[in-house]
Amino acid sequence: MLYDPDNPEYIFNEEKYMDVSGVVTQLSEKRRRLLEKKRDDPDVRITPVWVSVLVVIVFIGLIIVMATAVNTGHPAVAACIFGGIFVVGGIAVMPKTRNARELYGVKRLINGIIITLIGLSVCVPMLLIKHIGNDRAFLILAAGMFASCGLLFFIQALFNIFSTSSRYGIPVEARCTGYAHMVVNNRGSHVESAEVFEYDYEGERYESVNGAFRHAADAEIGETVTIRLNPRVPYDIFYEAPRKGRNSDYIVMAAFSSIFVIVGIILGIFAINGDVENKAQSRNANGKHILTDAAIEEKIGDSETPWNISLRTVEDKYEDDGIYYVRFSGDLLNSAAKDLWDKFELNDSYYFIRNTATEELIAVVNDKEWDYRGSHPLSDLRE
C-alpha cells in the first residue's frame, strides 16, 4: 500500500507500539481534520448526507421486510433476501479494473466469488423449496454454507502461508522509516501495526506500507531489511521477519476450515442422494408434510397395485344409536370408531386414498397437515 499520511484508516508515526484508546483518539481527530479540509476544498467532492441516509433506510427496510416475511409464514423469502445481500456483496468485492486486479491479485477475486457462492447457497434452495421440499432445501442450504464458508477461510489461510513466494516475488532492500497503526475489531478490539518502508526499485523511489499487519511490527526504525514486492504494483510490498512456526496458526486454520468443507460436501451428497423425503419429516414451504406417491405405495406394499386419491370436506358428523357417522362432500357417509371420529373436524378437508382394485380405503389424511405432490390425478370433491 502506497504511503499516504492522509489515509483516514491509519495512524502514522514512529511509535512501534500503541494501545487501542490512543489509536481511536488520534483517528477521530485525524478524520475530523480531513473532513474540515475537504469542506474547504472546492475541488473535492464529498458524499452527500442523503446518500448515507438512503443506505441506512435501505438497510433498515431490508430488515423489516425479512422480519415481516418470517412473521407471515414466508421464511424462504427472508432467506432469499439475506442470501441476496451476500451475492451483491460478493460481486462488489471482486476487482473491476485492471489496476485493482493487479493490486489485489487473484485473492480478492476468489474471495468475491466465494462470498457470492455463500449467498447463492441460501437463495437457490429457497427458490426451489416448493419443488424439492423443505427438508431437502434446508439441507442443501446448510451444505452450501458449510462448504463455502470453509472454503473461504481455507483459501485465506493458504494465501497467508504462500504469499511470500507466490504474490511477492522480487526481493528489495528497504529502510524502515515509521509505522502504520489501525484498530481491528475481530475477536475483541486490538491494534495491529505494520512498517513504513522507503526503497528504490527500477530507478524510482517509493515509500510504502508493509502489507502484513500484525500485533507487533518486526523491523526497527532505521533498520534495513529485505522486503518482497509485487512487480506489477511496486508499492505493494510484504515483509515478515523469519520466525519458527510463523505459519502454525494458518496451518491450524486451514485444517479446521477443511473440516467445514468436508461436512458441506457430505451434507450435499446426502441432500442429493439421501432419503430426505421421509413422509414424516419432509415439509413444503407452508410447513405441511409432503405426501408422495412413494409414501402411499409403501402403505399399499407395492408399486403395482392401482390406487386413486381424492380431496373431500367434512360436512357433518353425528352419533346415532351408538354408531358414529361422518358425512363428507360428494354425499359420502362413513361410520368410524369413536377415537377416529373425534379426530375429524367440521369443514376441514381430507385426502382419501383408495385401492381401486378392491375399493379398500388405504389412508385418510388431513389437508391442513399434508400436501399431495405425486403424479396421480387428484379428484377435488370439496363443495
Side-chain angles (χ1 to χ4, degrees):
M1 177 179 68
L2 193 64
Y3 170 67
D4 177 11
D6 288 335
N7 191 317
E9 301 300 321
Y10 307 96
I11 292 298
F12 298 99
N13 54 34
E14 295 185 358
E15 298 179 35
K16 191 173 184 180
Y17 305 99
M18 291 191 69
D19 57 27
V20 173
S21 61
V23 175
V24 170
T25 300
Q26 292 190 37
L27 280 177
S28 299
E29 178 62 23
K30 181 179 183 179
R31 289 166 182 167
R32 185 187 63 79
R33 292 197 309 268
L34 291 173
L35 183 59
E36 291 178 351
K37 182 179 178 181
K38 286 182 179 181
R39 287 172 178 167
D40 296 334
D41 189 345
D43 296 328
V44 176
R45 298 180 62 184
I46 301 176
T47 302
V49 175
W50 67 266
V51 174
S52 301
V53 174
L54 181 62
V55 171
V56 173
I57 291 174
V58 170
F59 181 74
I60 294 175
L62 288 174
I63 294 177
I64 293 174
V65 171
M66 287 190 288
T68 303
V70 171
N71 290 332
T72 56
H74 298 88
V77 174
C80 282
I81 295 174
F82 179 75
I85 294 173
F86 277 88
V87 172
V88 173
I91 294 174
V93 165
M94 298 180 197
K96 307 296 187 302
T97 65
R98 179 178 178 181
N99 287 340
R101 287 191 291 271
E102 289 181 345
L103 176 61
Y104 298 111
V106 71
K107 178 181 179 180
R108 190 158 178 176
L109 175 63
I110 293 176
N111 287 347
I113 292 173
I114 296 176
I115 292 172
T116 303
L117 288 177
I118 292 174
L120 291 176
S121 70
V122 176
C123 293
V124 172
M126 292 299 100
L127 291 172
L128 299 176
I129 194 168
K130 289 186 178 180
H131 303 285
I132 63 179
N134 193 69
D135 291 334
R136 190 183 296 274
F138 278 98
L139 197 57
I140 293 174
L141 184 154
M145 290 289 286
F146 267 95
S148 300
C149 291
L151 190 61
L152 178 64
F153 290 110
F154 182 79
I155 291 176
Q156 291 276 6
L158 290 185
F159 268 102
N160 284 317
I161 292 172
F162 297 107
S163 59
T164 54
S165 59
S166 59
R167 182 178 172 195
Y168 304 93
I170 306 298
V172 175
E173 294 300 303
R175 186 174 66 89
C176 176
T177 60
Y179 304 98
H181 308 279
M182 66 176 178
V183 175
V184 179
N185 293 312
N186 60 316
R187 293 183 296 179
S189 296
H190 63 276
V191 175
E192 291 193 357
S193 307
E195 300 88 348
V196 177
F197 287 110
E198 189 178 65
Y199 56 96
D200 294 314
Y201 178 68
E202 293 187 344
E204 296 287 337
R205 171 61 59 94
Y206 294 91
E207 193 169 14
S208 305
V209 180
N210 182 12
F213 278 78
R214 297 176 299 280
H215 286 275
D218 288 331
E220 301 291 340
I221 294 288
E223 182 181 2
T224 299
V225 299
T226 300
I227 65 171
R228 291 184 175 272
L229 59 79
N230 181 351
R232 295 172 298 181
V233 187
Y235 55 81
D236 185 20
I237 63 172
F238 178 91
Y239 170 73
E240 189 173 51
R243 59 171 63 87
K244 185 178 180 180
R246 67 184 179 92
N247 286 328
S248 58
D249 289 345
Y250 298 130
I251 293 173
V252 172
M253 178 180 173
F256 189 73
S257 301
S258 65
I259 296 175
F260 277 74
V261 176
I262 293 171
V263 170
I265 292 173
I266 293 173
L267 288 175
I269 293 173
F270 183 72
I272 295 173
N273 299 320
D275 180 21
V276 296
E277 285 192 346
N278 183 284
K279 61 182 181 301
Q281 296 179 348
S282 186
R283 298 175 182 267
N284 64 13
N286 295 321
K288 294 182 180 181
H289 298 297
I290 295 176
L291 183 60
T292 63
D293 289 347
I296 295 172
E297 289 165 358
E298 182 181 341
K299 279 184 170 292
I300 296 174
D302 61 64
S303 59
E304 303 298 328
T305 301
W307 54 272
N308 57 41
I309 182 169
S310 61
L311 190 58
R312 300 173 183 266
T313 302
V314 175
E315 295 183 340
D316 192 16
K317 54 183 291 189
Y318 58 91
E319 181 264 339
D320 184 13
D321 198 20
I323 300 177
Y324 296 91
Y325 295 95
V326 184
R327 184 176 295 280
F328 298 92
S329 56
D331 201 30
L332 177 65
L333 182 65
N334 274 19
S335 61
K338 178 64 167 61
D339 56 344
L340 182 59
W341 183 84
D342 288 335
K343 294 179 181 179
F344 286 109
E345 298 290 339
L346 283 174
N347 301 317
D348 277 5
S349 297
Y350 294 83
Y351 290 105
F352 278 66
I353 300 101
R354 289 185 181 276
N355 183 326
T356 54
T358 63
E359 289 299 318
E360 176 190 359
L361 186 62
I362 300 168
V364 178
V365 294
N366 197 325
D367 174 57
K368 280 186 176 179
E369 301 175 359
W370 294 81
D371 184 17
Y372 177 63
R373 291 292 183 84
S375 59
H376 281 57
L378 175 63
S379 300
D380 191 345
L381 303 177
R382 292 173 293 181
E383 295 177 358

